[in-house]
Amino acid sequence: LDAVGALLRIHGGAMRRRDSDDVPIDVKQTLHRAEKVRIATAATGLIGDGATLILDSGTTTAEIARQIRGLRLESINVITNALNVAVLLANAPHVNLIMPGGVLRGKSWSLCGPQAENAMRDLQADLLFLGVDSLDPEIGLMTPHVLEAQLNAQMIRIARTVVAVTDSSKLLRRNLSVIAPVEAVDILITDRSADAGCIEAIRDRGVEVRLV
């Protein structure tokens, strides 16, 4: 864990580093906790009664799920491929939970693969809350896992509004698999420590950026 922490601290100042690190979710959930809570609060403010949401796997989207539990809504639909998100929402009375099939990926507690992609094709959503491992304005949204990248791309195709939720440590990083170009995102919610040049480049690509 000490080695992982050292690598993640280095990431904050490395603009063009290629990242192959696939950090387990139980490690990720301890990092940048305050930022993730603020990002999740801003994200849940976008949710209205009767909405259909997709919650991608990840620790920031799990924080969104925690906050959804406390929303005073009559009913919303939540589509998720993440086991931790599903557990958080399983007994929320105002949530109709939908999960695709797929192969479980232990490091991220997520379902992915052709079964998950096929299940998503017949669905539509108002909002997608997408957590990303890396975001570079020139390259796009990235993840270390090829099958997750393919499923995330399918989520983008079926969502009316795409909201990327990520703390600033993920910006200006590169990773193995490209999910989509930055232009596929409608709104980026990140924290105020984000690199100013990076934020300007993202806004120049037509993305609304909210700093929290």
Side-chain angles (χ1 to χ4, degrees):
L1 293 183
D2 290 342
V4 170
L7 284 171
L8 290 168
R9 286 191 293 273
I10 291 169
H11 288 162
M15 293 182 58
R16 295 302 178 194
R17 182 182 182 277
R18 289 187 177 273
D19 295 297
S20 60
D21 305 310
D22 196 359
V23 181
I25 196 168
D26 54 346
V27 175
K28 286 183 178 180
Q29 65 189 2
T30 67
L31 304 171
H32 308 287
R33 173 74 179 155
E35 291 87 345
K36 291 172 182 176
V37 170
R38 296 199 306 271
I39 291 166
T41 299
T44 54
L46 299 172
I47 301 171
D49 221 339
T52 295
L53 326 173
I54 304 173
L55 280 180
D56 177 33
S57 61
T59 53
T60 304
T61 50
E63 184 57 41
I64 294 172
R66 288 187 186 91
Q67 297 197 22
I68 285 174
R69 288 174 58 87
L71 292 180
R72 295 186 175 182
L73 299 172
E74 289 294 325
S75 178
I76 59 172
N77 301 309
V78 178
I79 305 164
T80 186
N81 65 319
L83 293 187
N84 56 333
V85 169
V87 168
L88 286 165
L89 295 177
N91 63 350
H94 56 292
V95 174
N96 178 35
L97 188 64
I98 302 102
M99 293 193 73
V103 178
L104 177 63
R105 182 167 169 261
K107 282 190 175 180
S108 62
W109 299 347
S110 62
L111 296 166
C112 56
Q115 299 96 329
E117 289 179 54
N118 289 336
M120 289 283 183
R121 285 194 182 98
D122 294 329
L123 302 174
Q124 291 292 314
D126 300 302
L127 286 166
L128 162 60
F129 293 110
L130 182 66
V132 294
D133 291 276
S134 306
L135 191 159
D136 184 291
E138 296 180 6
I139 305 301
L141 316 173
M142 288 162 280
T143 175
H145 196 258
V146 174
L147 292 180
E148 282 195 351
Q150 293 171 350
L151 180 58
N152 290 159
Q154 179 62 29
M155 291 174 175
I156 289 171
R157 285 191 285 270
I158 67 171
R160 181 177 300 169
T161 301
V162 177
V163 184
V165 288
T166 184
D167 68 80
S168 60
S169 71
K170 309 292 181 60
L171 302 180
L172 294 171
R173 292 175 56 182
R174 295 187 180 184
N175 226 309
L176 175 64
S177 301
V178 176
I179 298 167
V182 170
E183 289 85 353
V185 174
D186 297 294
I187 302 171
L188 167 64
I189 306 176
T190 189
D191 62 83
R192 293 185 295 270
S193 297
D195 179 86
C198 177
I199 295 302
E200 182 179 0
I202 293 170
R203 284 176 169 152
D204 286 345
R205 286 162 170 78
V207 180
E208 178 186 343
V209 180
R210 301 186 183 185
L211 301 175
V212 296

